[in-house]
Amino acid sequence: MEEIVRFSFRLRPGATAVRALESEWHRCRYLWNEAVRQQKAGRKPTFAKLGKLLTDARSHDAWLREGAQVPQQQVLRTYAQSLKHSFAVKGRGRPKFKTRRETLPSLEYSSRGFSCRGGRLCLAKDIVIPVVWSRELPAEPTSVRVHRDSLGHWYASFVVRREVVAAPAADEGSGIGIDWGVSVTATTTSTEFDLPYLGHRKRCAAELGKAQRKMARRHSGKRGPQSKGYQRARKAAATKQKKAARQARHDARAWAKSVVDNYHLIAVEDFAPKFLAKSTMARKASDAAIGISKRELIECAARAGRKVVLVAPPAYTTMTCSSCFARAKQRLGLAERTFQCRECGFIDCRDGNAARVILVVAERGHTRVDDVSHAHSAFGSNVHAV
C-alpha cells in the first residue's frame, strides 16, 4: 500500500536564479488574474478552455514564451480546481486576484518540468538551484512546488509516493479522550499524555518586543516603500515569530506520535479556537497553538489507521459529569478548575472530567454529548468514567 507525502527542503538560489523564479511567478500570476477576469465576465472557464487560451496566448506573446510552459499550465489547473471547490465546499469563496505586493511566489512543476542532478534542483528554462538535502527522498518525486516565505527564504516541496510504514500495534480496546485548553494545551484521560503549555512565544517576547519597537521607530508613516532599516527590523520580528511557530509544530508532532502509537480510539474535542481571539486569553491561546496540535494529531492518526472521533459541537462537555452523565444547571466559570457533580458527588479536575466525557461519547458511537445524555435518560443506562 502506498501513500502520498511531501518533503520540504531549503533552497539556496543565487541572484540570477531568484530573478528567474520571480519572472516565472509574474507570468503565472498574470495568467491567474486573467482566469479570474474570465470568471467575473461570466465565461465559465474550465481547465480545457484555459489551456486553449494559453496556447493561443503563447503563440502571440513573446513575454509568455520566455517562461516555461509547465508552471503556467499548473497554475491554470490549480485555478480550475479552486473554482470547482468554491461551488462544492460550503464557505469557500471564489478565486481572487493575486496582487504583486501581497502574494508570495509559488510555482508548481510536474515531472516533465524538473529534475534533481548533482544535489541541485534543475527547473525548466535552465534554472538551477542548490538544495539543502536534510534527508534522502524515499523515491523519485512526481512533482515539486517552489515557494518563498515571508522572510524571503525559498523552499522546495517534493511530492513522493512511498510504501506505508506500519504503525506500532495498539490494543483494539484502548482509547483516549482529549480536551483542549490554554493553561494545559491538551488534557487527556491519561495524565501521562497531557500536552503542557510550553510558551515558546512567551520566552522570546522580550526579543520580539525589541524588534517591534525598532519597527515603530523606523516606520515613516507615509505611503510608499519603507526604509531598509524598517525592512530589517520587520524581518527580525518575523524571524522570532516563525521560530516559535516551528517549535510549537515540532512539539505537537512529537506529542501526536506518542498518542497515536499507544491508542487505537482517539476521541478529540472538535474545538475551534477562533473565539479565544476575542477574549483576554488571546495572546496565550495563540502561543498554545491549539489548532496546530489538533491538525497534527488528526493527520498522524489517519496515517497510522487509528479511529478518530471528533466530538462536535463540544458544548456541555465541561458541564457534564463523566460518572453519571448528569448536566450542571449553570456553566462553570473559567476560575472554577474543579468539577463537582451535585447528583452523584463525583469530583475531578475540570478538564480531566471533560476529556472522560469526550471518550465516553466516542466509545458509545456518538459525536455529541446530547446523544449520550438522551440515551442515558431514556434507558437508564449506567455510564462510568474510563
Side-chain angles (χ1 to χ4, degrees):
M1 184 177 178
E2 291 184 343
E3 64 177 351
I4 300 176
V5 294
R6 281 189 176 271
F7 289 86
S8 296
F9 300 90
R10 178 77 179 271
L11 299 178
R12 301 289 187 182
T16 304
V18 169
R19 286 194 297 268
L21 290 173
E22 290 177 347
S23 298
E24 291 283 6
W25 165 241
H26 292 323
R27 296 184 184 92
C28 292
R29 187 176 61 85
Y30 166 77
L31 293 173
W32 177 281
N33 292 340
E34 285 298 319
V36 173
R37 292 189 185 95
Q38 292 278 332
Q39 191 273 331
K40 288 184 177 293
R43 298 177 184 175
K44 299 180 180 180
T46 61
F47 178 63
K49 293 180 181 179
L50 294 174
K52 292 180 180 179
L53 292 176
L54 174 61
T55 303
D56 182 65
R58 285 178 63 89
S59 64
H60 296 88
D61 195 334
W63 177 66
L64 284 177
R65 286 199 304 271
E66 291 176 359
Q69 188 176 7
V70 173
Q72 295 176 11
Q73 289 178 335
Q74 290 297 111
V75 73
L76 294 180
R77 187 187 302 274
T78 303
Y79 172 82
Q81 292 176 350
S82 179
L83 182 62
K84 181 180 178 181
H85 291 165
S86 68
F87 291 101
V89 181
K90 185 180 180 180
R92 184 75 61 86
R94 304 290 184 267
K96 299 180 180 179
F97 291 105
K98 293 182 180 293
T99 61
R100 182 188 184 99
R101 181 173 296 181
E102 297 178 357
T103 310
L104 295 174
S106 178
L107 300 169
E108 294 276 353
Y109 290 86
S110 60
S111 57
R112 62 190 182 93
F114 78 97
S115 61
C116 298
R117 298 193 301 267
R120 296 170 181 265
L121 176 62
C122 302
L123 303 176
K125 294 296 180 179
D126 298 327
I127 302 177
V128 182
I129 310 172
V131 183
V132 182
W133 297 103
S134 56
R135 56 195 181 277
E136 294 184 2
L137 291 174
E140 287 294 326
T142 58
S143 65
V144 64
R145 181 169 67 94
V146 179
H147 61 98
R148 190 184 71 192
D149 65 1
S150 59
L151 299 179
H153 301 159
W154 289 88
Y155 294 87
S157 178
F158 295 93
V159 176
V160 179
R161 291 181 177 271
R162 69 174 184 184
E163 294 294 330
V164 176
V165 180
D171 186 7
E172 291 289 337
S174 60
I176 187 171
I178 300 173
D179 177 74
W180 305 108
V182 177
S183 58
V184 179
T185 304
T187 303
T188 65
T189 51
S190 175
T191 56
E192 178 185 356
F193 294 96
D194 287 356
L195 178 61
Y197 167 69
L198 300 172
H200 295 299
R201 286 183 177 86
K202 185 178 180 181
R203 287 202 298 270
C204 66
E207 297 178 4
L208 179 60
K210 182 179 179 180
Q212 290 174 340
R213 287 191 296 270
K214 188 179 292 185
M215 287 174 57
R217 289 196 302 269
R218 296 179 176 179
H219 192 279
S220 64
K222 301 177 182 179
R223 291 187 177 182
Q226 295 292 337
S227 64
K228 292 184 178 179
Y230 173 82
Q231 298 297 339
R232 287 194 297 268
R234 184 188 65 83
K235 186 175 181 179
T239 301
K240 296 297 180 183
Q241 292 176 332
K242 190 170 185 179
K243 179 181 178 181
R246 284 176 171 173
Q247 290 174 333
R249 186 179 296 108
H250 170 76
D251 293 333
R253 287 177 178 175
W255 169 76
K257 188 176 185 306
S258 65
V259 172
V260 169
D261 288 347
N262 288 273
Y263 292 95
H264 179 74
L265 171 63
I266 301 175
V268 185
E269 177 190 9
D270 194 9
F271 175 72
K274 179 184 287 188
F275 80 94
L276 288 176
K278 303 178 183 178
S279 68
T280 57
M281 300 183 296
R283 186 185 299 272
K284 191 172 182 180
S286 175
D287 194 359
I290 299 174
I292 293 176
S293 303
K294 175 185 169 184
R295 183 171 62 251
E296 293 293 341
L297 176 65
I298 295 175
E299 290 179 357
C300 185
R303 191 179 301 117
R306 303 296 193 243
K307 182 180 179 181
V308 181
V309 178
L310 296 178
V311 178
Y316 308 118
T317 54
T318 306
M319 301 170 57
T320 305
C321 176
S322 60
S323 179
C324 65
F325 249 78
R327 183 180 299 175
K329 296 182 179 180
Q330 294 181 350
R331 294 182 179 274
L332 274 70
L334 291 176
E336 300 180 54
R337 307 312 303 172
T338 302
F339 175 86
Q340 182 174 2
C341 180
R342 298 184 180 275
E343 299 292 333
C344 65
F346 178 74
I347 299 176
D348 193 10
C349 169
R350 169 197 179 116
D351 295 335
N353 175 74
R356 290 182 175 86
V357 170
I358 292 170
L359 178 59
V360 171
V361 170
E363 287 181 335
R364 288 178 168 258
H366 299 286
T367 58
R368 296 191 310 169
V369 178
D370 281 340
D371 295 338
V372 179
S373 299
H374 294 162
H376 174 75
S377 59
F379 300 103
S381 58
N382 295 322
V383 180
H384 300 284
V386 178

